[in-house]
Amino acid sequence: MTNATVHMEGQLHAPAHGAVATAAVHARGQQHPIKLYLVVWGWLFVLSTCSYLVDYFGLHGYLRWSLILVFMVLKAGLIVAVFMHMAWERLALAYAILLPPIAVMVFVTIMVLESEYTHLLRVMFFAVPS
């Protein structure tokens, strides 16, 4: 063997050993305290109770649906952030996961606004009753 071959073999085996050691350190360092999970479970319980109370108190109309959607989004955000570990991910990965649903919500809002506009035009020009 030449010196270059010995040097190349040393480089091939060294990173693998370092990667195993690094993985072991990261596996130990990724443990989250149980208190974090208990706090999140507590918040999920409180938000679920609030969502139930919206029905219990008999709220109707836009207030009811707004509250239900707010509680739903808060619960989903907690679950994604903590239990799916998004709070500890890179910002690029968070954007890759969070931006598409935000874009869908924007497009749905545009469609809702457009539907109201179309309804108004039908009433104005075709005298279609509401």
Side-chain angles (χ1 to χ4, degrees), residues 43-129:
W43 276 109
L44 289 173
F45 179 77
V46 168
L47 291 171
S48 295
T49 303
C50 292
S51 182
Y52 172 76
L53 289 175
V54 168
D55 284 333
Y56 182 78
F57 288 125
L59 299 175
H60 295 287
Y62 288 124
L63 177 63
R64 170 196 167 108
W65 291 109
S66 297
L67 288 174
I68 287 174
L69 287 174
V70 164
F71 294 139
M72 178 188 68
V73 168
L74 288 173
K75 290 190 294 186
L78 276 173
I79 290 168
V80 168
V82 177
F83 295 116
M84 295 177 70
H85 306 287
M86 281 298 293
W88 299 280
E89 292 295 336
R90 288 184 177 173
L91 193 57
L93 182 61
Y95 283 153
I97 292 174
L98 296 177
L99 283 182
I102 291 171
V104 168
M105 286 192 284
V106 168
F107 292 137
V108 167
T109 303
I110 290 171
M111 288 189 297
V112 168
L113 294 174
E114 183 68 22
S115 70
E116 292 295 323
Y117 171 75
T118 306
H119 178 70
L120 179 64
L121 286 179
R122 286 183 185 158
V123 171
M124 286 174 44
F125 291 112
F126 300 114
V128 176

